[in-house]
Amino acid sequence: MDLPIAILIILGAATVAELAVVLVQWRASGPLLVDSGRGRPMVTVTGTLFTVVLAFVILSAFNTYDGARSGAATEANAVLDMARTAPLFPAAQRDRLQSDFVCYGRAVVNEEWPAMRNGRSSPFVDYWVAQYRAEFNRLSVNSLREQAAFQDLLNLGETRTTGRQQRLSDATPTVPTPLWLALIFGGCVSVALMLGMADPRERLRILGLMVSAFAAIVATGLLVVYFLDHPYQNHTGGIQPAAMRHTLVLMQSQEPELHVRCSATGRPLPST
């Protein structure tokens, strides 16, 4: 969700609350609750319950957001370390490995990242995983140095897999629809109870400011949950493949004359 749309939603919620205040003051000659003391316990319980649930959901959604960012960084660092380990093998095998790693990184950036916005993965990333794993089986492991390098590649490959799995798992929203409905309902009830406790004899400007500000805060809290629960959306603050892009830059600078056997997007080139 873009920032301008989020601002419009917040302003819309505040405007609706302001109009409700005007309507209540116009239609009622006194407070909706004659004895405001009877309504205070309900307002307190409802407001506290809504606040606690909202805070819990925000914390859970933040863990999703932080896990997505951590998984992407772990994956990118593992790919970079594998590319730096490849030169320990003969030149031909080194070049094939590094080409596969570059193609993998391009596929993540250009193919899988847009797919994650819809909760999907990219088959092109899986293709290059299979390619470099097939290259592992063809590596010549003779010296102690090559044996140690091969073991490092296997360990880094597991780290890359873990990072990617974490990144993909967090692409799917974790806040279920019933919880969303409960949050929206709780926010609406909280605003309605605040209206019920309002005394129309108060100045309209002050009363409207209080209720509209409360409605704006409720809307902001719900938007924060949505933002954190959709970490890869193309909105302000959304997680971008910056770590993998940096890895690609470092790999290309490490071997500037490397012949990369994939397209600019990471898709496999047709065989000739």
Side-chain angles (χ1 to χ4, degrees):
M1 183 181 298
D2 295 333
L3 183 60
I5 296 178
I7 294 175
L8 287 177
I9 292 175
I10 295 173
L11 292 178
T15 302
V16 171
E18 181 80 24
L19 293 176
V21 171
V22 173
L23 181 62
V24 168
Q25 191 172 47
W26 175 56
R27 296 295 300 271
S29 59
L32 297 182
L33 290 177
V34 179
D35 184 5
S36 61
R38 293 184 302 170
R40 285 199 184 97
M42 180 178 294
V43 173
T44 302
V45 171
T46 303
T48 302
L49 181 61
F50 175 75
T51 303
V52 170
V53 173
L54 181 62
F56 175 79
V57 175
I58 289 177
L59 178 60
S60 177
F62 177 78
N63 290 334
T64 298
Y65 181 88
D66 189 60
R69 182 173 53 187
S70 176
T74 299
E75 176 191 29
N77 291 335
V79 172
L80 179 60
D81 289 339
M82 286 194 292
R84 289 173 172 172
T85 304
L88 297 177
F89 296 94
Q93 296 177 341
R94 174 203 64 197
D95 291 344
R96 288 194 295 269
L97 280 174
Q98 291 182 333
S99 295
D100 290 344
F101 297 149
V102 170
C103 293
Y104 173 88
R106 289 178 178 175
V108 168
V109 171
N110 299 312
E111 298 291 337
E112 191 157 71
W113 220 266
M116 285 194 303
R117 292 167 188 161
N118 298 318
R120 296 183 289 105
S121 61
S122 171
F124 300 110
V125 175
D126 296 325
Y127 173 86
W128 289 113
V129 171
Q131 287 295 106
Y132 83 67
R133 285 178 176 173
E135 189 62 35
F136 282 2
N137 295 329
R138 294 190 290 267
L139 290 176
S140 59
V141 183
N142 299 318
S143 64
L144 292 178
R145 187 184 73 168
E146 291 174 344
Q147 292 177 8
F150 182 70
Q151 186 61 47
D152 283 343
L153 286 178
L154 294 179
N155 294 336
L156 290 169
E158 293 180 358
T159 303
R160 180 213 60 79
T161 299
T162 301
R164 186 192 178 209
Q165 288 176 343
Q166 183 178 9
R167 171 171 60 78
L168 290 176
S169 66
D170 291 330
T172 304
T174 58
V175 180
T177 301
L179 186 54
W180 270 113
L181 295 176
L183 286 174
I184 295 173
F185 177 75
C188 292
V189 169
S190 298
V191 175
L193 287 176
M194 191 171 183
L195 278 172
M197 294 290 295
D199 189 345
R201 291 170 297 184
E202 294 286 347
R203 295 182 60 181
L204 177 62
R205 183 178 302 175
I206 302 300
L207 188 59
L209 179 62
M210 291 173 54
V211 178
S212 61
F214 181 74
I217 291 174
V218 171
T220 301
L222 296 177
L223 287 173
V224 169
V225 174
Y226 179 87
F227 165 77
L228 294 174
D229 200 40
H230 297 77
Y232 300 113
Q233 293 296 318
N234 193 22
H235 50 52
T236 303
I239 300 176
Q240 302 298 322
M244 189 60 76
R245 287 196 184 109
H246 183 62
T247 290
L248 287 171
V249 171
L250 292 178
M251 287 193 294
Q252 293 287 345
S253 63
Q254 179 178 325
E255 296 291 339
E257 298 180 358
L258 178 65
H259 176 65
V260 179
R261 300 175 290 107
C262 66
S263 68
T265 63
R267 295 174 180 238
L269 290 175
S271 58
T272 57

